[in-house]
Amino acid sequence: MTKTAVLVHGLGNIGKAVIEAVEASPDMECVGVVRSPSSVGTKKNDLRGLADYPGLNALLKAGAKPQVAVICGPSRLVPEDAARYLAAGLNTVDSFDIHDRIPDVLTAMDGQAKAAGRVAVTAAGWDPGTDSVLRALFEAMTPVGVTFTNFGRGRSMGHSVAARAIDGVADAISITIPIGGGRHSRLVYVLAEAGAKQDDIRSRLAADAYFAHDPLEVRFAADAAELASIADNSHGVLMERIGASGFASNQRLSFDMRIDNPALTAQVLVAAARASTRLQAGAYTLIDIPMVALLPGERMTHVARLV
């Protein structure tokens, strides 16, 4: 079996989980990890025996021949990172999660991917991502109605990364709390930098796009040990739709999952990396991709097994 060669960009929680998901996939292999130059050589246990490099050129000079770059850095850096890898001739996969920017990012990536003759899959986590697919399927089943996506309780990776980027924040954990009806509040635990003012941090968090639209509570941890005691990876979602199929009303659909957040995000990214090798040049989200393209093995085997 010819394996798809994967490059992992970034070694945070998602990057580490992607390495593990690739290792567990029979049709894929990881050929190296690209990290910031200052990080290369650190956290060797997280690399699971893989080599790490300060950039793509260094990885290529070492003889690696990646086909897909799985981008595991902050969402705000994804468009720039993806453009660089596409221009270098690699497919890209990412879990970009700034929902209102996805159409613009997808349009830009589509032009870049087609110019390079490559494939980009963006917003390929679980929300946006697999939850997006379920919302689309729910609407196909009940075209008239309303869907509520209720997250948590649990730790949001994207919101935690955004909180850590705020001036005065040394570290942070963001917890999503469902209010109901698709609404949420954010509880952010912050370890402040020495000399930073708590009121300033609160104001900056409240103004950030990740937090500006939801009720927000900020609590300050006394030290790193206290923050570490909060940093559980659990999360989940309850998706509910009440609608009509044809002239029949009161159709009720629901989907519920409780997960390890980085592990599931990584597994979806790996499935999207697989699908990227089966698609024509251009940019896609998960709702654009045939489900069978995400699975290892042959199409007709899955048709016989699942249909």
Side-chain angles (χ1 to χ4, degrees):
M1 176 191 298
T2 301
K3 295 187 176 184
T4 299
V6 171
L7 171 163
V8 174
H9 175 93
L11 194 65
N13 289 309
I14 304 300
K16 290 183 288 186
V18 167
I19 291 171
E20 294 174 356
V22 170
E23 186 177 321
S25 299
D27 60 337
M28 310 191 83
E29 62 177 346
C30 187
V31 298
V33 178
V34 171
R35 310 170 64 189
S36 63
S38 62
S39 298
V40 170
T42 64
K43 298 184 178 179
K44 290 186 178 294
N45 290 340
D46 294 336
L47 290 164
R48 300 185 66 84
L50 296 170
D52 58 347
Y53 304 90
L56 176 60
N57 288 338
L59 183 144
L60 296 176
K61 286 180 180 179
K65 297 180 179 179
Q67 298 164 267
V68 186
V70 181
I71 299 172
C72 305
S75 280
R76 286 168 170 147
L77 301 181
V78 161
E80 178 183 345
D81 291 333
R84 185 169 63 254
Y85 283 115
L86 288 168
L90 277 67
N91 291 354
T92 65
V93 175
D94 67 73
S95 57
F96 184 84
D97 68 350
I98 306 174
H99 287 258
D100 59 357
R101 288 185 56 196
I102 289 172
D104 290 339
V105 169
L106 181 65
T107 299
M109 283 187 181
D110 190 57
Q112 295 159 357
K114 288 177 178 174
R118 307 312 302 169
V119 170
V121 183
T122 191
W126 57 272
D127 203 303
T130 49
D131 281 0
S132 311
V133 174
L134 286 162
R135 283 190 286 268
L137 183 60
F138 277 14
E139 288 195 18
M141 297 165 71
T142 56
V144 177
V146 61
T147 301
F148 298 108
T149 306
N150 305 286
F151 300 111
R153 295 184 175 108
R155 177 184 176 189
S156 169
M157 298 298 161
H159 286 79
S160 297
V161 169
R164 286 193 285 272
I166 297 295
D167 287 344
V169 174
D171 201 356
I173 298 296
S174 180
I175 306 297
T176 300
I177 302 172
I179 299 173
R183 297 169 300 156
H184 306 85
S185 65
R186 311 289 176 181
L187 173 58
V188 182
Y189 289 87
V190 171
L191 180 63
E193 294 178 346
K197 295 181 179 179
Q198 294 186 0
D199 286 345
D200 290 345
I201 291 173
R202 283 194 179 92
S203 297
R204 292 173 188 139
L205 279 167
D208 187 270
Y210 271 89
F211 301 98
H213 307 294
D214 301 310
L216 171 66
E217 180 181 354
V218 180
R219 299 179 184 176
F220 288 88
D223 51 34
E226 180 182 350
L227 196 67
S229 72
I230 300 162
D232 177 61
N233 284 334
S234 62
H235 212 332
V237 68
L238 171 62
M239 191 183 305
E240 302 171 303
R241 183 170 177 82
I242 301 174
S245 305
F247 295 118
S249 297
N250 203 32
Q251 309 286 69
R252 303 178 66 88
L253 313 176
S254 68
F255 170 76
D256 188 4
M257 70 178 185
R258 295 293 176 263
I259 57 160
D260 179 289
N261 193 352
L264 186 60
T265 300
Q267 193 67 62
V268 177
L269 283 167
V270 169
R274 177 183 297 115
S276 77
T277 67
R278 300 169 172 176
L279 301 169
Q280 294 184 345
Y284 303 82
T285 67
L286 285 194
I287 67 171
D288 300 310
I289 299 174
M291 291 297 96
V292 72
L294 298 167
L295 301 175
E298 299 300 321
R299 170 176 172 257
M300 291 308 295
T301 300
H302 296 305
V303 169
R305 184 174 62 87
L306 297 172
V307 181

